[in-house]
Amino acid sequence: MCLAAGAIRAAATPRADCSVMLDASGSMKGFATAQDPAFVAMLEALDRKCAERFAFSGADLRDLPSLARYQRFAGDTAIAAAMRAWLRRSKADRLVIVTDNVADERTRSDGQAAFYRLLAASPRAFDRIGLILRRFDFDGSVYARGPDGREIGNRYSGARALALYVLQRHSGAAAPTDNPWLARVAEMTGAAGSGQAAVLSVVPFLPEGLLVHVPEEGGKGAGVAFHDNRYEIDLAGSSGRMIEFRESLRIRPPRDWSFGRGGLASAVSVQLVLAPDEIVRAGERSPCPVTPTDRQPEPGELRVDIRCSIPEHWSTLTEAQRVAMSRQQRTQRSGMLVVTLRAERDHLATAGTLRRDWDWSGSDAARRLAEPDPKIQGRIYALDQLVRGLIAPGAGGAGITMEQRFPVTLRLDHWGLPYLLAWMREHQSELGLLGAMLAIGSVFGWWAVSRLVYRVQGGAGGTRTTEFRLLRPVHIRHADNRAEIVVTSLGAVLRVSGRGARTNRSFLPLSGGIVLLVFGEGGRTPSSFRFERVAGVRQKQRQPGGAAPSSRRR
């Protein structure tokens, strides 16, 4: 029976999968005195969740039956000594430390700084570090260290800030990319969604709100359009050349953080990645040089200029690829503009509501910690320095790695012209023979129309054989001396106009038997000319006025 009862009690004991350390120093007593219902509910939730509970003050780490009912607050906040003791005693993987974050030891050693060194030591004891900031009602004493090193205390009643360190031991696996333990503690303690709370994952740094966006006034380039968060690039007119486009990227930091200027631009890399397709089998990767710029559109943002070179299709294709490509009216290639940012925590500083509502810092901030001012007591002393102190330089998970992709479509409209060019290259000998034949035909055609010979009846002197050369006007006067015409050969037709009179037609075809009428003034009978084509007749001698005799005198 006794063994069975012992087994039942052992089974009923919760497994110590998490621990809570409650700061029991004198500066915490005001929270227990005020008995803020939200403060009590937070401790009760931790009581239910974590079977292993401790109180610490000075170098003492004491077991606690209950966090919510503890009332013995006195002594110093020796948080570094308490952490060392916990690391020796506890086997739990997860830990929550509840403290007002004031290093009020009465020694010259800085316990808060030693605590930071424990968290940031290499190899790391913890690979997930979170911070929850809360405000609760307070009624007690607040402390500071005076210029002579002595402790100063004042009475304060009102809202006061409290910090929960949410830690998880190093698992030996790869650097984590999430912090579910922090999210769970924030939810069960009422911090999630509360306007009087801030939840921050220090390691790993979760880049909530980090964004790369393209401003409307960016550089772009000829044939480059950006809409619906994607690029459309028209390669028309760039045959045989490299096409470039320029862009200005704005990188917005995570919520409540600000980018520093030093060294961050070198952590930005951009690549244009083109996917393989049915014609260009292999994909392509082109790095885009990144240049930092002094243009800073919003406080804390980073802005860089990039310049991407895009290999134009025809500069790299084989003959077979060109023929295959040209059988389409349009060729498109898809790709991505990939922006990668790797920023260490040193590049980031608290900003926004985190800095404005929760940080108390300045040259005299430590000396004024004992002032009963809600603007001081409702904040965390040197919050930005505190967050930086939790991270070892170069520690895994202490920075942010972000990759953002913008779809890219490269388009080339060619409408079959490259196919024609490729076909001509493949049939050079046939085209050479065809070109020679066309050249001979052109010469013969030119010779045929360059000299046209007609018999013209009605002109002065009766019927005459007249030669009309290309584009050379010939004047012919009628036998009645009442009409004169000007005839010009245009190759395919004869152009006719009357000198001071109207004709019944302006153009004469090259066929024969054409009668031309010239109308004079006063309704007189029109003068008529008849044109008869003479084939194969060439004249060696010309009469004045362009007419040549039909026979010689003997």
Side-chain angles (χ1 to χ4, degrees):
M1 289 293 291
C2 292
L3 288 175
I8 293 173
R9 282 195 299 271
T13 303
R15 184 175 64 86
D17 62 343
C18 65
S19 289
V20 182
M21 290 171 52
L22 175 65
D23 183 354
S25 65
S27 61
M28 289 283 293
K29 185 174 179 60
F31 291 109
T33 302
Q35 285 292 291
D36 186 326
F39 178 74
V40 175
M42 179 187 73
L43 296 182
E44 289 176 343
L46 292 173
D47 271 334
R48 291 190 297 270
K49 178 63 178 177
C50 298
E52 193 174 76
R53 299 173 287 270
F54 302 99
F56 68 93
S57 62
D60 187 19
L61 186 66
R62 305 181 299 277
D63 291 300
L64 285 183
S66 170
L67 300 168
R69 293 192 294 272
Y70 187 76
Q71 293 291 328
R72 295 174 57 191
F73 292 90
D76 307 323
T77 305
I79 191 170
M83 174 62 77
R84 293 189 191 97
W86 182 87
L87 288 170
R88 290 192 300 268
R89 289 178 55 177
S90 178
K91 301 300 182 183
D93 290 331
R94 296 176 292 179
L95 172 64
V96 178
I97 305 175
V98 183
T99 176
D100 60 356
N101 213 50
V102 176
D104 59 351
E105 294 178 289
R106 293 185 176 87
T107 66
R108 291 186 178 275
S109 64
D110 189 342
Q112 194 76 20
F115 170 66
Y116 296 157
R117 288 194 294 271
L118 279 174
L119 293 183
S122 182
R124 301 183 63 84
F126 303 94
D127 62 3
R128 286 179 172 89
I129 301 174
L131 192 63
I132 298 176
L133 309 180
R134 300 291 305 275
R135 291 190 185 97
F136 299 109
D137 291 340
F138 184 90
D139 186 11
S141 297
V142 290
Y143 300 93
R145 199 176 300 279
D148 56 359
R150 291 185 300 176
E151 187 178 77
I152 302 170
N154 286 309
R155 189 78 179 179
Y156 171 71
S157 180
R160 189 159 185 257
L162 192 68
L164 278 71
Y165 292 90
V166 183
L167 312 174
Q168 186 167 335
R169 285 187 194 262
H170 184 61
S171 63
T177 58
D178 58 1
N179 202 337
W181 174 230
L182 173 64
R184 180 74 183 99
V185 173
E187 181 182 358
M188 70 183 182
T189 60
S194 172
Q196 292 296 311
V199 180
L200 175 64
S201 180
V202 180
V203 178
F205 186 27
L206 306 180
E208 181 182 357
L210 180 65
L211 178 67
V212 176
H213 53 121
V214 178
E216 292 182 0
E217 72 277 12
K220 310 296 187 297
V224 180
F226 183 82
H227 53 84
D228 297 331
N229 226 32
R230 64 182 299 119
Y231 285 97
E232 296 280 347
I233 302 176
D234 187 359
L235 298 179
S238 61
S239 180
R241 298 187 292 109
M242 300 289 282
I243 185 172
E244 288 189 338
F245 79 93
R246 300 166 303 283
E247 190 54 275
S248 179
L249 302 178
R250 286 172 55 179
I251 304 175
R252 188 175 69 194
R255 187 181 62 189
D256 295 329
W257 292 92
S258 173
F259 284 132
R261 303 300 294 171
L264 180 58
S266 62
V268 181
S269 62
V270 181
Q271 272 195 332
L272 179 66
V273 181
L274 298 182
D277 61 19
E278 58 186 13
I279 295 175
V280 184
R281 303 294 181 183
E284 298 175 78
R285 288 180 175 267
S286 302
C288 302
V290 178
T291 305
T293 176
D294 292 333
R295 299 189 306 278
Q296 198 169 349
E298 297 293 339
E301 287 192 349
L302 175 70
R303 188 157 179 170
V304 296
D305 292 338
I306 64 171
R307 193 182 191 103
C308 293
S309 297
I310 306 169
E312 202 279 330
H313 291 71
W314 301 108
S315 63
T316 56
L317 295 184
T318 65
E319 192 74 22
Q321 287 174 329
R322 295 188 189 191
V323 173
M325 184 185 225
S326 63
R327 292 189 175 123
Q328 310 170 44
Q329 291 183 345
R330 168 177 290 185
T331 300
Q332 289 193 168
R333 291 195 68 186
S334 61
M336 289 284 176
L337 187 71
V338 182
V339 182
T340 305
L341 172 67
R342 172 63 193 176
E344 298 299 332
R345 181 53 66 85
D346 288 345
H347 295 141
L348 296 156
T350 54
T353 57
L354 192 63
R355 171 66 70 89
R356 183 179 65 249
D357 298 344
W358 290 98
D359 180 55
W360 172 248
S361 58
S363 57
D364 61 346
R367 179 178 57 82
R368 298 180 60 188
L369 285 175
E371 294 183 15
D373 185 346
K375 294 181 179 179
I376 299 175
Q377 302 305 325
R379 302 183 184 187
I380 300 295
Y381 170 61
L383 175 63
D384 188 66
Q385 180 181 344
L386 181 157
V387 173
R388 291 176 184 273
L390 295 175
I391 304 165
I400 52 175
T401 299
M402 185 278 305
E403 184 177 275
Q404 190 156 334
R405 293 169 172 255
F406 297 95
V408 176
T409 299
L410 305 183
R411 185 179 72 252
L412 179 64
D413 296 325
H414 38 71
W415 303 99
L417 178 59
Y419 177 70
L420 174 61
L421 298 177
W423 183 88
M424 291 175 65
R425 281 192 292 270
E426 292 177 356
H427 300 82
Q428 290 184 16
S429 58
E430 294 92 333
L431 287 175
L433 178 60
L434 177 62
M437 294 174 63
L438 289 175
I440 294 172
S442 298
V443 171
F444 177 79
W446 176 265
W447 176 83
V449 302
S450 63
R451 296 185 178 185
L452 301 175
V453 180
Y454 282 81
R455 287 193 183 93
V456 182
Q457 299 176 6
T463 300
R464 294 181 180 276
T465 301
T466 306
E467 182 180 274
F468 300 99
R469 296 193 178 189
L470 192 65
L471 302 180
R472 292 185 180 182
V474 176
H475 295 256
I476 303 176
R477 191 169 183 79
H478 198 272
D480 59 12
N481 291 321
R482 291 189 289 110
E484 183 179 348
I485 58 174
V486 180
V487 182
T488 305
S489 172
L490 300 182
V493 293
L494 297 178
R495 173 79 168 87
V496 181
S497 61
R499 294 289 300 271
R502 180 172 57 87
T503 60
N504 66 332
R505 58 178 63 197
S506 298
F507 296 96
L508 301 179
L510 299 187
S511 59
I514 306 299
V515 176
L516 176 70
L517 300 179
V518 181
F519 301 94
E521 297 179 355
R524 291 176 299 182
T525 302
S527 303
S528 64
F529 293 88
R530 182 178 180 83
F531 289 78
E532 291 283 351
R533 177 78 180 273
V534 179
V537 179
R538 301 189 58 80
Q539 298 295 318
K540 298 181 180 180
Q541 182 178 348
R542 297 184 58 185
Q543 298 283 334
S550 58
S551 62
R552 293 185 178 180
R553 289 185 180 179
R554 294 180 184 268

